Every structure is written in C-alpha cells, then in structure tokens.
C-alpha cells in the first residue's frame, strides 16, 4: 500500500511539475519560396539558452517557465523577427511567422545551401525528397566522425569499404566501376592506376558535402555500376569569416623511430620533385634509340644517390587557412568569394611479409618486408560567386590538388627464381611519386519565367600529371655489410622514370521546364534534357636505365647501407656503366572523346513520383602504341574503340505517408577500363613481377535493379532497407600468370557476373527509443550494413590458366558493417564537447585471381575502430583529438594451397601482411 501511495504521489508531482511550464510552438514559412515550410531556421527565447531548429515541416516547439519573453526567429541571410509573448502555466501559445530576405534579398540562395547542405538533418531531408536513390554526407557529420579526407567520409556510407591499396569499393565493385565529379563536372585523376581521383587526396576542408548515387539517372555519365560520387566544394558565406587550423599527430610505429627516406633536394619536405631527380639529357624523351654511357660518364651522370637517408620520424604536421566574404552590388546583384589552402604531411613505417606460393603451398618468394613512406597532401580552392536573385547564379572555381609519396621498400628473404650463394635475397625499391591536378570550372544557372524554366551550364578544364622521377631498384645477395652485387636473367639494378600527362575538357548544358501546376510544393510535371561532352588526352613516357657490365668485377662486395660507394668505385674502374635499351613502348598516346545526350520526364502525383529517361553516349578512344616486338622507329599501332550505348532509366517513388517512401529503380549503364588496364607497357616491380595493360579490353554492360524502403521518424533520423541486383556482361578482371622470373599481372574481360545484396541504414538519437533521459538525449547512433552474394564466370577455353573459372567478384565482401555512436558531453553558449566512436569491418574478399592451380588471393577482414573528441569554446576556438585504428589492425592477404601440402610443418598461407600502427592526432583551429 505504501508503494502505491509513493507511486501516486510521484505521478501527481511530475504532473504538477509539467503543468508549471508553458509551451510556445508554431510553424515558420519561407516567403522567398512561396510560403513553403522553412526548415532548419532558428527559434530562440531571447536572453536564454532555450532554442531549437525547425524541422523539415518548418515546425518548432519551446518549453518555458511562466513569464514574459521575446521569441527571436532567424535564418541566415533572412531578416530576424522578434515577437513578445506572455506564457502561463500549462498554456500553449501558437506563433506562426513568415520570414523573408527583405533587405538581405540576395543572400538567400547561396546562404541557404551553406546552412542546409552541411547538416546531417538537411541532407536526410534532401534524400527523402529526391526522386533518385542517393546518400550524402556533409561537413557536420564528417567533423563529428573525425573525417579529414573525402575517402574517409565516403567510407562511412552504407555499402562502402576501403580496400588496402586500391581505394574505395562500393557494393563490392572496385574503383573501376565508380565515377567521380566535382561540382557536377568531371575531374580526371592523374594516377593511371585509378578511374577516379584518389579520394584520400581531397581534404574535407574544401568540401561542403558528398553525394553518392548508387543508382543511375540521366544527368550522370553511364560510366559506373557501383556508384557515381559528386563532391560539392564549400559555399561562400554571407558573413565574412577566416578560419586557421594547425594539426599534429603521431603514428605508434613511425614517430620518433628510425626512418629511411630519399632526400633529393629542397622541395622534398613540401612534396615537390627534388633538385637531384632530373633525367639526364642522354636518356630524355627525345632519345628514342639505346644509349650506353661510358663508365666515367656514368659516375657523374646522376646527382641523386643510391644511399638511403636515415633519420628519426618527427610528428606529422598540417595547416589550413580559409577565408570567405561577400559584397552587395547595385541592381540586386551580389559577389562573394572563398579561398582555402591546405597542407598535411605524414610519416608511415610498416613491417610485414610478402610471399608468392604455388598450389602446394610452397613459397618460391618468401620475403620479410619493411616499408617507410613520407607523404604530403596539398590543396587549394578559390571560388568566386556572382549572382542576381531569381535571375542567374554563376560560380568560378580554381581547384588544385597535389600529393606526393616518398617511399622505400625493402624485401629480404628467399627467392628461388634467383641464383643465390647461401645468402638472403635483398631488394630495395626507392620510389618518389607526385600526382598533380589543376582544374578550372565555370558553372551556373539562369532562371526564366518565375523559375519555371531553368538553364544549367558548366565547363571545366583539368591538367594532370603523374610523375615518377628516378625510381631506383637495388638487388643484392645478402644485406648491409655482408652483401654481394648480383644480376640474374636480365634483372639488373635500374633507375626508372615515367611521366603521364593528361588534359581534360568537359562540359554540360541542361534545360528544365516545369509545368502543369504544383503538388506537394513542387511542379506536377517537368521535362529535362541536355548534353554532356568530355575530351581527354593521355601522353605517357617512360625510361628504364640499367646498370650494366660486371664481367671484370673481381670484388662484388657491396654494403647495402651505402651502395653509392660501390657504384662510384666501379664506374671509376671501368667495371660498370649506365645503359638504356631501345624500348618501343617508351611512348603511348591515348585520345578519348565522349558525346552524350539525354532527355528526362518527371511526373508528380499526391503520393507517387514517376521519373523516366534515356541517355545515349558515344565513346571514341584511339590508343597509339608500339608492340614490344617492334622497333622504336616503327609506325604506331593504332587501336580504335567506338561503342555507342543507350541507357534507359526508370525511377519510381511512392510516399506511403509523410515519413515513409518506397522506391524502385531500374537502369542500364556501361563501364570503361582504367588507363593502367589499357596501357600497353610492361611495368616492373624489380623482383621479377610485372604488370601490363590490354588495349583490347571492352566496356562492361551493367543491368541494375534497386528496391528501397525509407522511414524518417523525425528530422535527422532515418531507417532504410534496400535490395539490389546487378548483371554485368564482360566484367574486367585482373589476372596473375606465372613466368620464369615471377608473376605477370594482366587485364581482360570475363564472360559475366552477378551481384545481389541487401543494404540496411539507420541513424537516430537514443531518445527516439528510450525517451527524454539524460543519456538518451545526448547519444546518437549510426549504423549501416550490407549483405551480398556475387559470382563471376570466365570462358575456360580462353582462360585455361585459371585455377577455377567461377568465383566471387574481386573486392566483393559478403558482409560490410559501418557503425558509430556520438555522446554529447556538454553543450552551452561557451562549450560544446562531444565524443564519437566509429567502427568499420568487412568479411573476406578476393584480392587477386589464382592461376596454374594456385588459389585466389583473399583479403582478410580489417576491424577498424576510430575515436574523435571535438571541443568548441566560445564558438571560435576548437580543439579536436582523434585516435585512428585504435585496435592496431593489420592488412592480411592469404593464398591457400589447392593440393596436398608439400611441407606441412612449414606451411603458411600468408601472401601479404602489413601493420599500420595507431594514429593519434591533435588539431587546433580559430575562426574569426
């Protein structure tokens, strides 16, 4: 009885307490958008910390003690509205207001994008209202998760995972099946190994949000089956601001530890080619024939040294500066700008294993691997925005992205492909590589007839360069001061130079007509049609310069710590010299043109949206090269490829209610190969392994179907389930074939592939499930996973060397999981502190195809856990702490035996193993 009395007393106490407060609620409308709901506006009780943002319906609710107040309504770029109000206990006061830009009329378009497109809740609202299926991540979410590059940001989206050294995989499809644009225009990568600009090169400092389209729409190029990624750069702020940040960090395996590098000049720290890496004129691009330098000439031919530099790896360093402002002009015009420069460097030290095994599990290459890499990342963004409200909006962008990798790899162990004298095989690969892209963009929009007619245009030009100057391969028997100089089967120490220049020009022109009245604040009908054009030229040059001679060598002793002394002495004694052979593959030219046209019709009913379109693309590619069996003076072999592809697409969206959508999409797309995959040039690793492209590769044909259920319980929250299927004709596959000295990696088209899967995505606050408890209100969860099954088949007659002609798609995991939890430690006008934990993992996936009886190479799961602690003080100062790879996970690739194991006691299925270490970072920033 006493318990009942206590419960009744508590119930009345809570009820009485609730009734002592009052409520202010209502709806805010957007005058500039024909009184549509104004989402994400501010409703604040002036002089207090009580305030909320309106939801996607423009609604707000404030709970206050009885009294007299002034409620302030605001939206950046709009005039503030203040309303006095008296609130009584238990009373609800309704205040509905319409906000307009008034004297700030020109600020609404761009400012609105800044406010909404960077926020998680706004991007989810856009996802909910969009016709096509897409997912987005904005600045707000990337900051919360401690994301510093676009690659890290995209990898937090469902169905996306990062594959060790091969970039982003989406729905089990690698970089080849993805496409990248910046601000809706193509941005061609300089790295020939990748289809898309390496996303790890792009810092989030210049990014507003990232859209990932996993399904096709006619405004996108056909060239994807996994996803088309569109990166939107920062918008210009209506209020002037400057942000300065400085960061530092350490890696548990590298920082303050012994580190090897190749320091060849003053530019190395900043990631630009050192002063001593120049290619001598005797071997430059104008010298097609072979050249043998004399021994004395060889001694002074190169300024760079074979000796590695030894140092202690310091802390990493980064800095970024952003400045933005805008100005009102006469006749309702406005101009604004944003400028950002960014620099980061990083020190990485890794150890592990690298092994090549046969079908019995016997390793014929069994190396311990040590790797050191100093990398830099630079970027700059300069944007100018010129516009007139409801008339036009023009944007001019200059985008600069550059990265460098200064690395040394050392292999030591058994290599039965080389003659040995009972000493371990040793190989040192000293490599420096720069990737540079400079892009100019102009894009904009014209509005006609009360915005019922819209003309979008864009044109871009990008110049890129992949530069690998003076790569050095040293091979010995034995290491350090117990080593001997050796050559075998033509594999001599060598230097390698290569340059891949590319120039790209692309553009778009789209016209949209809205007609037939309105439904759900949008036009009942719209027709969109347009043109896309793209022209890309690749010019490739390479030169291999070997150390020849040695027949007169009587003393082959060489110290691998200081090999330059050995070469200098034997050049001086006339025993060795530098030489290049007449290589007919030293030049390759690729010209590629794409012309595309499309038309699209969209019809909106009260609950149903139909989007139907077709896109036609004509590709012409000409590859000019010489066969390895030709001479340097032979005419080029010309390979032309000119497919014409029609891509229809159907999008259906049915709104079951205000919070729930059901979507269906069907489409056909066509995927092109990467440059490396068609580049007819033999690239060697120095240990007997080679890679060569295939100019006869065909485009894949992809047939795609998606069915998706979406539920948005409240603003900023989502739960969705998507089922998808893909049928791929002529999938492009990487093949590995055994040779007399090692592996030859090639590319070709298999027969077909299928991919089926289910994606689940959720994002919500714990208070959605557990009410208004203190912990629940401060905690939010994100979770997405994908379950997949895939299979690709090859023609057994065409690929007789394959161990099996049916397997899962390369890079496709049966299971991928991304999850995060964020806890708000404290939030006030002075301090905002929150901590996030992010976890990613995947199941086994095929890394490379096995041949000659050997099994496939399998990449094992990487369980990655990251932490971020973000602290903002007085809205101007920010201190962030990040811990990445907290579980110290490593990269592991295995290759199982397929027959009886020859030596069970020595058996190890490890093919590659590399540790990565734990990265701890600290960032300080100030905004004013």
């Amino acid at each position: 009885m006493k318990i009942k009395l206590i419960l009744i007393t508590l119930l009345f106490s809570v009820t009485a307490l609730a009734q002592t407060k009052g409520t202010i609620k209502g709806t805010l409308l957007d005058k500039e958008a024909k009184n549509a709901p104004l989402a994400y506006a501010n409703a604040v009780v002036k002089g207090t910390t009580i305030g909320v943002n309106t939801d996607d319906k423009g609604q707000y609710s404030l709970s206050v003690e009885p009294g007299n107040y002034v409620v302030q309504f605001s939206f950046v770029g709009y005039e503030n509205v203040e309303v006095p109000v008296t609130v009584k206990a238990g009373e609800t006061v309704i205040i509905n207001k319409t906000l307009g830009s008034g004297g700030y009329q020109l600020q609404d378009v761009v400012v609105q994008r800044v406010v909404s497109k960077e926020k998680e809740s706004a991007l989810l609202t856009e996802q909910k209202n969009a016709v096509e299926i897409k997912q987005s991540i904005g600045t707000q979410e990337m900051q919360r998760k401690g994301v510093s590059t676009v690659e890290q940001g995209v990898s937090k989206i469902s169905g996306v995972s990062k594959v060790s050294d091969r970039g982003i995989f989406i729905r089990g499809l690698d970089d080849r099946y993805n496409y990248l644009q910046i601000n809706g225009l193509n941005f061609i990568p300089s790295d020939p190994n990748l289809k898309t600009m390496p996303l790890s090169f792009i810092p989030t400092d210049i990014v507003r949000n990232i859209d990932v389209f996993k399904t096709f729409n006619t405004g996108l190029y056909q060239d994807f089956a996994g996803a088309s990624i569109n990166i939107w750069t920062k918008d210009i702020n209506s209020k002037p601001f400057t942000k300065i940040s400085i960061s530092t960090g350490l890696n548990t395996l590298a920082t303050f530890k012994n580190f090897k590098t190749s320091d060849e000049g003053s530019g190395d720290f900043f990631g630009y080619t050192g002063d001593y890496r120049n290619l001598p004129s005797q071997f430059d691009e104008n010298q097609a024939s072979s050249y043998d330098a004399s021994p004395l000439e060889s001694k002074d031919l190169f300024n760079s040294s074979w000796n590695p530099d030894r140092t202690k790896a310091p802390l990493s360093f980064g800095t970024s500066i952003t400045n933005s402002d805008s100005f009102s002009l006469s006749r309702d015009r406005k101009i604004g700008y944003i400028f950002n420069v960014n620099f980061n460097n990083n020190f990485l030290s890794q150890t592990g294993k690298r092994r090549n095994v046969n079908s019995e599990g016997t390793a014929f290459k069994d190396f311990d691997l040590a790797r050191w890499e100093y990398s830099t990342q630079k970027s700059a963004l300069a944007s100018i925005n010129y516009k007139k409200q409801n008339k036009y909006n023009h944007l001019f962008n200059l985008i600069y992205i550059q990265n460098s990798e200064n690395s040394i790899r050392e292999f030591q162990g058994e290599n039965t492909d080389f003659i040995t004298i009972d000493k371990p095989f040793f190989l040192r690969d000293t490599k420096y590589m720069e990737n540079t892209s400079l892009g100019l963009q102009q894009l904009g929009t014209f509005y006609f007839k009360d915005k019922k007619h819209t003309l979008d245009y864009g044109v871009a030009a990008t110049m890129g360069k992949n530069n690998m100057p003076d790569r050095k391969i040293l091979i010995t028997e034995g290491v350090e001061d117990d080593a001997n100089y050796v050559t075998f089967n033509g594999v001599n120490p060598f230097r390698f130079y290569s340059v891949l220049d590319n120039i790209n020009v692309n553009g778009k022109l789209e016209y949209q007509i809205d007609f037939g009245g309105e439904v759900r604040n949008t036009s009942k009908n719209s027709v969109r049609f347009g043109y896309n054009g793209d022209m890309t030229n690749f010019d490739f040059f390479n030169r291999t310069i070997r150390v020849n001679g040695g027949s007169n060598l009587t003393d082959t002793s060489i110290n691998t710590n200081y090999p330059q002394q050995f070469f200098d002495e034997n050049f001086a004694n006339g025993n060795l010299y530098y030489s290049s052979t007449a290589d007919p593959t030293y030049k390759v030219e690729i010209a590629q043109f794409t012309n595309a046209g499309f038309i699209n019709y969209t019809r909106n009913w009260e609950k149903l949206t139909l989007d139907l379109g077709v896109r036609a693309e004509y590709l012409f590619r000409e590859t000019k090269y010489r066969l390895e069996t030709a001479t340097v003076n032979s005419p080029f072999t010309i390979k032309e490829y000119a497919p014409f592809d029609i891509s229809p697409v159907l999008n259906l969206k049915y709104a079951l209610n205000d919070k729930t959508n059901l979507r269906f999409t069907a489409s056909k797309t066509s995927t092109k190969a990467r440059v490396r995959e068609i580049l007819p040039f033999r690239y060697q690793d120095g240990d007997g392994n080679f890679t060569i492209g295939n100019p006869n590769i065909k485009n894949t044909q992809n047939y795609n179907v998606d069915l998706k259920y979406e539920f948005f319980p409240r603003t900023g929250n989502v739960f969705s389930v998507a089922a998808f299927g893909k049928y791929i004709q002529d999938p492009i596959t990487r093949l590995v074939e055994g040779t007399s000295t090692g592996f030859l990696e090639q590319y070709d088209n298999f027969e077909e592939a299928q991919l089926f899967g289910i994606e689940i995505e959720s994002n919500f606050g714990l208070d959605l499930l557990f009410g208004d408890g203190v912990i629940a209100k401060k905690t939010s969860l994100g979770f997405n996973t994908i379950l997949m099954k895939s299979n690709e088949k090859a023609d057994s007659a065409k690929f007789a060397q394959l161990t099996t002609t049916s397997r899962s798609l390369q890079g496709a995991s049966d299971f991928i999981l991304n999850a995060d939890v964020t806890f708000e430690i404290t939030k006030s006008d002075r301090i905002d502190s929150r901590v996030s934990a992010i976890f990613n993992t995947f199941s086994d996936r095929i890394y490379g195809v096995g041949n000659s009886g050997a099994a496939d190479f399998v990449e094992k799961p990487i369980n990655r856990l990251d932490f971020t602690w973000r602290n903002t003080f007085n809205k101007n100062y920010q201190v962030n702490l990040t811990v990445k790879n907290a579980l110290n996970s490593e990269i592991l690739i295995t290759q199982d035996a397929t027959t009886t194991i020859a030596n069970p006691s020595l058996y190890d299925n490890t093919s590659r193993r590399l540790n990565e270490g734990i990265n701890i970072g600290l960032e300080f920033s100030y905004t004013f």
Side-chain angles (χ1 to χ4, degrees):
M1 184 68 181
K2 290 182 178 180
I3 294 176
K4 289 183 178 180
L5 288 174
I6 292 172
L7 291 174
I8 292 172
T9 302
L10 287 174
L11 179 62
F12 276 104
S13 299
V14 171
T15 304
L17 181 63
Q19 290 179 344
T20 62
K21 288 193 172 185
T23 301
I24 306 170
K25 63 187 299 186
T27 302
L28 299 184
L29 302 178
D30 187 350
K31 180 180 178 181
E32 309 306 324
K34 300 181 180 180
N35 293 332
L38 183 58
Y40 320 116
N42 302 309
V44 178
V45 179
K46 192 174 181 178
T48 73
T49 60
I50 302 171
V52 296
N53 289 336
T54 57
D55 61 19
D56 57 340
K57 297 180 180 179
Q59 298 175 350
Y60 71 94
S61 180
L62 301 166
S63 180
V64 297
E65 299 290 343
N68 297 318
Y69 300 98
V70 173
V71 181
Q72 185 179 64
F73 303 108
S74 64
F75 186 75
V76 181
Y78 283 47
E79 288 185 321
N80 294 347
V81 174
E82 295 185 355
V83 180
V85 61
T86 299
V87 180
K88 298 179 180 179
E91 182 182 56
T92 297
V93 179
I94 306 296
I95 301 178
N96 300 322
K97 284 293 176 180
T98 300
L99 302 187
S101 58
Y104 303 91
Q105 185 176 8
L106 283 178
Q107 299 182 14
D108 66 325
V109 176
V110 172
V111 171
Q112 185 174 344
R113 291 178 66 194
V114 173
V115 172
S116 65
K117 294 286 188 173
E118 294 189 356
K119 298 183 67 174
E120 292 178 72
S121 55
L123 291 171
L124 283 176
T125 299
E126 184 180 81
Q127 176 181 324
K128 172 186 173 183
N129 295 330
V131 177
E132 66 277 355
I133 298 177
K134 73 172 182 176
Q135 291 173 271
S136 303
I137 184 169
T139 297
Q140 183 188 74
E141 184 177 357
M142 288 189 285
Q143 289 178 346
R144 177 173 64 82
K145 294 181 177 180
V147 168
S148 59
T149 69
V150 169
E151 181 177 77
Q152 295 170 357
V154 172
S155 66
K156 310 305 180 187
I157 291 176
S158 63
V160 180
S161 61
K162 183 181 183 302
V163 179
S164 59
D165 59 350
R166 288 186 289 156
I168 290 294
F169 276 54
I170 300 178
R171 288 183 167 179
L173 299 172
D174 71 4
D175 165 82
R176 179 196 307 112
Y177 291 97
N178 301 323
Y179 202 77
L180 174 72
Q181 294 186 310
I182 297 180
N183 299 316
L185 294 167
N186 296 344
F187 205 88
I188 303 300
S190 55
D191 191 336
N193 296 296
L194 296 173
K195 169 75 74 66
T196 63
M197 163 70 66
L199 302 182
S200 60
F201 295 0
I202 307 175
T204 53
D205 286 331
I206 69 171
V207 175
R208 182 193 74 196
N209 67 283
I210 308 163
D211 293 336
V212 178
F213 296 89
K214 297 178 186 174
T215 60
F216 180 64
N217 68 74
T218 54
L220 303 174
Y221 281 82
Q222 297 172 350
D223 190 11
F224 80 94
S228 185
I229 302 167
N230 194 2
I231 300 168
W232 293 97
T233 54
K234 288 279 190 184
D235 278 319
I236 295 160
N237 208 318
S238 62
K239 296 181 179 179
F241 83 93
T242 301
K243 180 180 178 181
I244 301 174
S245 68
I246 298 176
S247 62
T248 187
L250 63 86
N251 178 278
T252 55
L253 299 179
T255 309
F256 307 134
K257 294 181 171 58
N258 293 331
F259 194 85
K260 291 184 180 180
T261 186
S262 172
D263 186 0
E264 305 293 359
S266 58
D268 278 12
F269 175 80
F270 295 102
Y272 295 101
T273 304
D275 304 333
Y276 305 134
R277 292 195 178 93
N278 296 327
L279 177 63
S281 59
Q282 293 90 331
F283 302 106
D284 66 18
E285 191 168 350
N286 297 319
Q287 306 300 324
S289 59
S290 61
Y291 182 79
D292 293 336
S294 68
L296 288 178
E297 183 185 15
S298 298
K299 186 176 184 301
D300 299 318
L301 200 58
F302 294 91
N303 293 319
S304 59
S305 174
W306 285 86
N307 296 340
D309 290 306
R310 291 166 175 80
T311 185
K312 297 284 187 180
L315 294 169
S316 63
F317 171 76
T319 184
S320 177
I321 301 175
T322 305
N323 176 256
S324 181
D325 202 354
S326 60
F327 310 92
S328 296
L329 306 175
S330 61
R331 293 179 297 181
D332 294 334
R333 295 169 300 152
K334 187 168 183 175
I335 192 169
Y337 74 89
I338 187 168
F339 175 74
N340 168 272
V341 291
N342 181 85
F343 172 83
N344 289 285
N345 66 15
N346 186 56
F347 295 84
L348 178 66
S349 179
Q350 298 176 292
T351 58
K353 299 284 292 184
R354 178 168 174 176
R355 304 170 73 245
N356 292 351
V357 301
N358 58 23
S359 60
E360 298 174 342
T362 300
F364 53 94
K365 283 184 172 66
D366 192 352
F367 302 141
D368 291 319
L369 170 61
R371 181 174 182 265
W372 301 267
E373 179 184 278
Y374 172 68
S375 60
T376 67
Q377 178 193 83
K378 286 81 64 183
S379 68
L381 169 69
S383 294
I384 297 175
N385 184 215
Y386 176 70
K387 61 183 180 178
K388 184 174 183 178
Q389 179 70 8
N390 296 328
K391 294 295 184 181
Y392 52 76
N393 189 352
H394 304 292
L395 184 66
F396 305 87
N397 290 327
L398 172 66
I399 302 172
Y400 172 75
I401 297 174
Q402 197 266 5
N403 87 303
S404 71
E405 294 178 3
N406 187 341
S407 67
I408 292 180
R409 297 185 303 165
E410 291 183 351
F411 301 90
Q412 178 181 340
E414 182 180 356
N415 187 351
T416 59
D417 284 330
F418 284 74
I419 298 174
T420 63
I421 52 175
D422 298 324
K423 290 184 180 181
F425 172 86
F426 176 80
L427 182 146
R428 176 183 292 134
D429 180 2
T430 303
K431 182 171 66 175
Y432 184 90
M433 184 169 64
E434 293 179 27
N435 285 291
T436 305
S437 295
L438 177 64
L440 293 170
Q441 296 182 333
Q442 181 184 345
L443 57 154
T445 304
F446 290 96
Y447 304 103
F448 309 98
K449 299 183 178 181
D450 297 327
K451 290 190 174 182
K452 294 296 184 182
H453 290 226
T454 305
L455 175 66
D456 285 315
Y457 75 93
V459 62
T462 306
M463 295 178 292
K465 173 176 285 191
N466 172 266
N467 187 21
M468 189 186 298
D470 202 13
R471 180 189 183 197
K472 294 182 281 287
I473 300 292
L474 175 69
I475 303 171
T476 67
E477 291 176 331
V479 296
E480 297 184 342
D481 58 358
D482 185 24
N484 294 91
Y485 175 82
V486 63
T487 64
F488 172 70
N489 202 17
V491 182
N492 297 12
F494 67 86
R495 295 177 184 257
F496 177 77
Y497 288 77
S498 73
V499 177
L500 177 67
D501 288 304
N502 71 66
I503 297 177
N504 172 264
V505 178
N506 71 92
K508 67 175 185 178
L509 191 65
E510 300 180 6
Y511 197 88
Q512 179 167 321
I513 304 171
D514 297 328
F515 60 96
E518 292 190 353
V519 59
R520 292 183 280 114
N521 295 314
T522 189
S523 296
K524 283 185 178 181
N525 300 275
S526 66
V527 173
R528 180 169 54 93
F529 53 91
Y531 166 81
N532 295 103
D534 182 279
M535 178 184 70
T536 308
N537 286 317
F538 298 95
D539 289 319
F540 177 71
F541 163 77
N542 76 92
R543 180 76 72 207
T544 300
I545 306 164
R546 300 188 180 278
V547 179
N548 281 341
S551 59
N552 296 324
L553 278 178
T554 57
D555 183 5
T556 60
S557 298
I558 182 172
N559 188 330
T560 59
N561 292 324
Y562 308 101
Q564 187 64 46
Q565 180 180 353
F566 171 84
F567 290 116
D568 286 344
E569 290 177 354
N570 283 283
F571 288 143
N573 294 332
N575 296 328
L576 297 175
Y577 61 94
Y578 284 117
S579 174
S580 68
T581 59
D583 180 7
T585 68
Y586 82 105
K587 278 189 177 183
V588 180
E589 298 175 9
I590 301 174
Q592 187 167 280
F593 304 88
T594 302
N595 288 287
F598 66 89
I599 187 167
N600 204 89
Y601 171 70
T602 303
R603 175 71 163 93
N604 289 290
W605 290 273
E606 195 61 38
K607 291 183 175 292
L608 178 66
T609 299
L610 166 69
D611 182 75
L612 184 65
V614 64
R615 182 182 180 96
E617 284 192 7
Y618 172 71
L619 166 69
F620 177 80
R621 182 171 67 226
E622 180 184 78
T623 305
K624 297 171 65 175
Y625 63 102
R626 295 183 180 93
L627 299 172
E628 292 181 312
T629 55
T631 68
V632 293
N633 296 317
S634 298
F636 278 110
T637 295
I638 298 177
K639 175 67 178 179
E640 294 184 353
Y641 183 55
F644 179 75
D645 292 306
I646 303 291
S647 290
V649 60
L650 169 67
N651 286 298
L652 289 172
K653 183 182 80 169
Y654 185 76
L656 299 174
N657 52 53
D658 289 342
K659 298 182 178 181
T660 310
N661 290 329
L662 189 63
R663 299 176 181 271
F664 173 79
T665 298
S667 65
K668 175 184 175 292
T669 57
S670 177
T671 304
K672 297 193 291 283
R674 290 176 283 230
V675 174
R676 176 69 72 195
E677 294 167 345
I678 61 176
L679 198 61
F681 152 73
R682 192 175 291 257
Y683 178 85
Q684 59 176 302
D685 252 352
D687 59 355
N689 293 337
F690 297 84
T691 300
I692 189 168
N694 177 6
N696 297 309
I697 280 183
K698 298 185 296 185
N699 292 350
T700 71
Q701 302 299 311
N702 318 299
Y703 300 86
N704 318 284
V705 176
D706 285 73
L707 179 64
K708 187 174 185 179
Y709 169 85
E710 294 175 327
F711 174 55
F712 300 86
R714 64 184 183 186
T715 302
N717 295 161
V718 65
F719 173 80
S720 68
V721 179
F724 63 90
K726 295 180 183 293
Y727 174 74
I728 304 175
Q729 287 183 338
D730 302 315
I732 301 170
T733 302
R734 180 173 56 175
L735 303 167
V736 181
E737 180 182 352
T739 69
S740 61
T741 62
F743 283 150
L744 174 60
E745 188 175 272
Q746 302 181 83
Y747 304 91
D748 213 327
N749 294 99
F750 273 11
E751 186 177 356
E752 62 178 7
Q754 301 89 32
L755 178 67
F756 303 95
I758 296 176
E759 282 183 352
I760 302 173
E761 176 193 12
S762 63
N763 179 13
F764 59 91
L766 279 187
D767 58 333
L768 185 67
L769 302 177
F770 301 104
D772 293 335
V774 175
I775 300 297
K777 291 186 68 174
K778 291 177 173 286
T779 306
S780 61
L781 299 177
F783 168 88
N784 63 72
T785 187
I786 186 169
L787 305 173
M788 287 188 300
K789 281 294 182 183
S790 66
N791 181 261
E792 65 175 352
K793 296 179 181 179
D795 185 342
S796 57
K798 181 179 178 182
F799 301 101
Q801 78 276 19
L802 295 180
T803 301
T804 175
T805 55
S806 180
R807 61 177 54 78
S808 297
L809 274 166
Q810 287 186 39
S813 297
D814 290 345
F815 170 73
I816 300 173
L817 170 67
N818 301 310
D820 65 87
V821 56
T822 298
F823 179 74
E824 182 185 280
I825 299 173
T826 183
K827 184 176 183 180
S828 66
D829 287 341
R830 294 198 308 162
I831 302 176
D832 185 349
S833 178
R834 59 192 66 202
V835 62
S836 298
I838 306 100
F839 179 76
N840 314 97
T841 191
F842 56 85
S843 61
D844 289 1
R845 55 194 177 196
I846 294 177
Y847 179 84
V849 174
N851 72 94
S852 303
D856 296 328
F857 297 88
V858 176
E859 184 173 14
K860 308 303 286 186
I862 300 175
N863 300 315
R864 187 179 179 95
L865 179 63
D866 301 338
F867 293 97
T868 302
W869 183 19
R870 302 188 66 84
N871 301 275
T872 303
F873 305 95
N874 296 324
K875 298 183 179 180
N876 295 105
Y877 299 91
Q878 194 170 82
V879 180
N880 305 317
L881 176 67
T882 59
V883 179
K884 296 182 179 180
N885 194 29
L887 301 178
N888 201 19
S889 298
E890 62 181 11
I891 299 168
L892 176 61
I893 298 172
T894 63
Q895 187 180 26
D896 292 328
T898 55
T899 61
T900 303
I901 297 174
N903 299 293
S905 61
L906 301 177
Y907 175 69
D908 184 351
N909 70 347
T910 299
S911 173
R912 298 183 187 181
R913 182 191 297 271
L914 270 179
N915 50 25
E916 293 188 296
I918 302 171
N919 291 293
I920 302 173
L922 187 64
E923 180 186 21
F924 303 88
S925 66
Y926 174 54
T927 303
F928 59 94

